[in-house]
Amino acid sequence: MNLDTLRNCPLFSALDDAQLAEAAADMRRVPLAAGNALFRQGDEAQRFYVVDSGVIKLTRLSGDGEEKVIEMIRPGESFAEAVMFMDAKRYPVTAQAVEDSVVLGLTNRRFFGLLRDDNRLALRMLGQLSMRVHGLVQEIEKLSLHNATYRLVNYLVGECERSNSTRLTLAAPKQVIASRLGITPETFSRLIQRLRSEGVLELRGAELTVNNLGALRDYLLKE
């Protein structure tokens, strides 16, 4: 069994080889075609997951039935691990493949046993979950305190910094990214066109090139 994806996931970085093998003893490899759901909001939760390839979006339905994208999970990242600590063992979100993807499913029961036996591992996981919560809080602040231009530009700058490149392949269709940013697809397209007309970026299909990263960052100071 190839455990490289798990070894490269921050959640598992504190495990030695024996612990990693134990965690993966009943690991399930799950291929998902684009658009297929791995689980839905309210389903019973017995596993958490690591993305091996592709992109998974986590969504939640609002009170009026509107779908909101909460996170987009990429290769090497884990999701749904916090559910093992909840009293109600049910997924609070829906997980759906944005593109053809493969995820690795690990049982909550087995991993929780490792946490119980190794306090250092438990503290490591607590730190990872805290960092994720902190990141989401920061994201909520940006979405609630800033306008649509700032949200889109902040996203694009973050993607450039994540990939260390100004040539990007958008991780999801524009409507998914727009939902993640709390704007409409029409607003997303209008803002992209504005940035294109100003020569800041170019977009062909899903391929986006930032011509002037400095100018893009300047928008964050203006808005």
Side-chain angles (χ1 to χ4, degrees):
M1 181 187 302
N2 190 333
L3 301 181
D4 288 345
T5 297
L6 297 187
R7 285 194 181 92
N8 293 328
C9 176
L11 183 63
F12 296 89
S13 61
L15 273 63
D16 60 30
D17 289 345
Q19 289 173 319
L20 192 65
E22 170 64 18
D26 48 10
M27 183 173 71
R28 179 183 300 170
R29 183 178 182 275
V30 185
L32 293 166
N36 284 2
L38 175 64
F39 55 75
R40 297 194 178 276
Q41 182 177 330
D43 285 353
E44 184 179 358
Q46 297 183 349
R47 292 178 180 267
F48 69 97
Y49 297 87
V50 177
V51 177
D52 190 35
S53 63
V55 178
I56 302 294
K57 67 175 181 176
L58 304 183
T59 65
R60 186 172 174 84
L61 291 177
S62 63
D64 58 5
E66 182 181 355
E67 181 184 89
K68 174 69 176 100
V69 178
I70 305 300
E71 273 190 284
M72 289 190 289
I73 314 297
R74 308 173 197 233
E77 298 177 346
S78 57
F79 62 99
E81 62 270 39
V83 180
M84 73 176 77
F85 301 105
M86 299 166 57
D87 290 334
K89 299 295 191 292
R90 296 191 177 277
Y91 295 114
V93 295
T94 294
Q96 186 179 24
V98 173
E99 58 188 52
D100 290 349
S101 305
V102 175
V103 298
L104 307 176
L106 299 99
T107 59
N108 295 339
R109 174 185 52 80
R110 185 176 295 277
F111 195 78
F112 194 82
L114 289 172
L115 296 177
R116 186 179 56 243
D117 296 338
D118 189 334
N119 291 335
R120 294 171 303 171
L121 180 58
L123 290 173
R124 177 80 179 195
M125 184 170 191
L126 180 61
Q128 290 295 327
L129 294 177
S130 297
M131 289 176 61
R132 174 172 290 180
V133 171
H134 181 67
L136 288 174
V137 169
Q138 287 185 316
E139 189 68 24
I140 290 170
E141 289 179 349
K142 291 173 183 176
L143 294 180
S144 60
L145 297 178
H146 296 286
N147 63 24
T149 301
Y150 182 99
R151 299 176 199 179
L152 175 59
V153 170
N154 183 69
Y155 170 79
L156 294 177
V157 170
E159 291 296 289
C160 288
E161 292 174 348
R162 178 199 294 267
S163 63
N164 195 30
S165 174
T166 55
R167 295 181 180 272
L168 307 173
T169 299
L170 295 181
K174 69 177 183 179
Q175 63 268 26
V176 174
I177 298 174
S179 176
R180 180 70 183 91
L181 300 177
I183 61 179
T184 65
E186 293 75 19
T187 298
F188 179 94
S189 296
R190 177 173 55 80
L191 293 175
I192 287 290
Q193 182 55 42
R194 171 184 162 191
L195 295 171
R196 291 178 66 182
S197 67
E198 294 176 1
V200 176
L201 57 79
E202 297 175 9
L203 179 65
R204 296 181 179 178
E207 303 302 316
L208 185 146
T209 301
V210 176
N211 296 324
N212 191 332
L213 184 57
L216 199 62
R217 286 190 171 119
D218 285 344
Y219 275 95
L220 301 181
L221 302 176
K222 298 175 185 176
E223 301 297 336

